[in-house]
Amino acid sequence: MEIRSNLVIGVDIGGSHISACAINIASTISVPLSSLKRREVRADGEAVEIVDAWAAVVEDCAGCLPNRSDWRIGIAMPGPFDYEQGISWIKGLHKFESLYEMNVRELLALRLGIAAGQIRMMNDASAFLLGEMKAGAGRGSSRAAGVTLGTGLGSAHYYDHVLYDGDLWCTPFKLSRAEDYLCSRWFLQMYESVKAYGSASITGRQSITGVKELAMLYEEDPDVSMIFTRFGRHLAEVLLSKYPPSVQDRLIIGGNIAKAGRLFIPAALEWFREQGVAIRLHTAELGELAPLIGAAALWEEKFIDQNRGDKCQINGCL
């Protein structure tokens, strides 16, 4: 298939939204946020409803490409998912249950009126890291690890032009697994726990609904400060066990919780110093554009998805 455009539609699919942007992969990547399209999507909707919502955003972005045979689409998608075949294995995670065992790539291609081969897919955390390597905090490095902190814990590792999907979320840690200590849910549980034990500063406050609200109390509340410090130390412990200095030059932290990085990264760095190791932590630079750029970059170089998304080789990229 001959492609007559350098534009690729980069897509990021989250649990409750889709965002997309047309990206020129032949030039130095610079994408204005104003060009990004975003739409809320009911994660508990029927399959046709979800696919229709996704397709509408893609079509909105592709308005500058009237010939659909020129469309190339790169999609960052949460797992579990067979990225090579395009089949969803998401179940029991309160999102996209109606798509379980369906070939999402073929469904979307049919709805858009294009060939399935015009769509490529990858893990969302891997897309985040590839985007940062391409145009953000990872520029100039050939070895880096990326972590996304939010409602869940995502991870990926870029090592000498090989991009690996990560499994940090299920890494054993303390009494459970790493994700249970490094997500927004942990913050809310800690807040309620401290409140229940009669903290002088927290008792009497109303419940909070997110990390952003909690961060607003940091300066005035020592108990909230303690929660962020503990989170930073948890993060450092997990990162050192999985991504020691021998396998990466820098660690890039992204996701919604990273917006409050100034409140917990110092604690992580202090823990590293206590262990006698030097690890460079960088806050992601591209925000929500990172997975869009990473997904679009699948079309820039040859991409080989090995073991159905577990290991991805980007030949000659970057």
Side-chain angles (χ1 to χ4, degrees):
M1 178 177 61
E2 181 185 359
I3 300 294
R4 294 183 295 276
S5 173
N6 292 319
L7 291 179
V8 174
I9 307 302
V11 178
D12 179 33
I13 290 177
S16 60
H17 78 280
I18 176 175
S19 56
C21 189
I23 297 170
N24 188 334
I25 60 172
S27 62
T28 301
I29 294 177
S30 178
V31 183
L33 277 173
S34 59
S35 65
L36 185 145
K37 309 295 182 182
R38 184 183 176 94
R39 175 172 172 172
E40 298 301 310
V41 178
R42 284 186 53 225
D44 60 350
E46 296 298 320
V48 65
E49 176 187 354
I50 294 172
V51 173
D52 277 349
W54 292 346
V57 174
V58 172
E59 287 175 327
D60 193 14
C61 279
C64 54
L65 288 169
N67 189 344
R68 296 199 177 214
S69 64
D70 287 338
W71 289 13
R72 289 179 293 171
I73 303 166
I75 300 178
M77 183 84 184
F81 202 91
D82 182 337
Y83 298 101
E84 181 179 6
Q85 301 298 322
I87 298 172
S88 174
W89 298 115
I90 299 173
K91 188 176 184 180
L93 298 178
H94 310 293
K95 60 183 179 184
F96 309 142
E97 300 277 347
S98 61
L99 294 172
Y100 181 67
E101 292 187 316
M102 290 189 176
N103 193 311
V104 176
R105 184 172 64 178
E106 290 185 356
L107 288 173
L108 185 57
L110 182 64
R111 166 61 178 76
L112 291 171
I114 62 176
Q118 291 173 250
I119 300 174
R120 295 181 180 179
M121 312 179 85
M122 73 185 305
N123 176 268
D124 52 354
S126 295
F128 153 75
L129 178 57
L130 185 56
E132 289 290 336
M133 296 296 291
K134 186 70 179 174
R139 289 188 309 272
S141 174
S142 62
R143 303 190 311 159
V147 176
T148 55
L149 304 169
T151 55
L153 174 64
S155 64
H157 184 208
Y158 188 87
Y159 190 90
D160 292 343
H161 305 298
V162 180
L163 181 65
Y164 300 86
D165 287 346
D167 59 357
L168 194 64
W169 69 277
C170 62
T171 296
F173 183 66
K174 295 188 180 293
L175 300 177
S176 183
R177 60 187 186 180
E179 182 171 271
D180 293 331
Y181 294 84
L182 295 173
C183 65
S184 54
R185 182 177 65 256
W186 178 86
F187 277 97
L188 304 186
Q189 291 171 345
M190 277 295 299
Y191 178 83
E192 293 300 327
S193 177
V194 173
K195 183 178 176 181
Y197 275 94
S199 163
S201 59
I202 288 181
T203 299
R205 291 188 185 275
Q206 62 183 14
S207 295
I208 62 170
T209 59
V211 177
K212 183 178 180 180
E213 290 178 65
L214 194 62
M216 294 174 65
L217 304 175
Y218 181 89
E219 300 295 341
E220 64 183 74
D221 195 324
D223 289 302
V224 171
S225 174
M226 175 272 296
I227 291 173
F228 278 96
T229 296
R230 185 173 298 181
F231 180 85
R233 295 179 73 88
H234 288 167
L235 177 64
E237 289 183 60
V238 171
L239 291 178
L240 182 59
S241 69
K242 195 72 173 180
Y243 301 120
S246 59
V247 302
Q248 49 76 28
D249 297 324
R250 67 190 72 183
L251 279 159
I252 303 171
I253 310 299
N256 283 332
I257 294 177
K259 297 174 183 177
R262 65 180 182 84
L263 306 183
F264 62 82
I265 287 179
L269 294 175
E270 177 60 29
W271 191 89
F272 289 144
R273 284 191 289 269
E274 292 173 3
Q275 308 310 308
V277 298
I279 291 181
R280 298 168 62 192
L281 287 185
H282 296 258
T283 303
E285 296 178 1
L286 301 176
E288 60 185 319
L289 288 176
L292 301 178
I293 293 172
L298 291 178
W299 287 93
E300 187 177 30
E301 301 289 343
K302 184 179 179 182
F303 173 74
I304 303 171
D305 188 354
Q306 303 176 43
N307 301 320
R308 297 192 174 183
D310 293 331
K311 179 180 178 183
C312 306
Q313 173 80 42
I314 310 285
N315 293 327
C317 187
L318 308 181

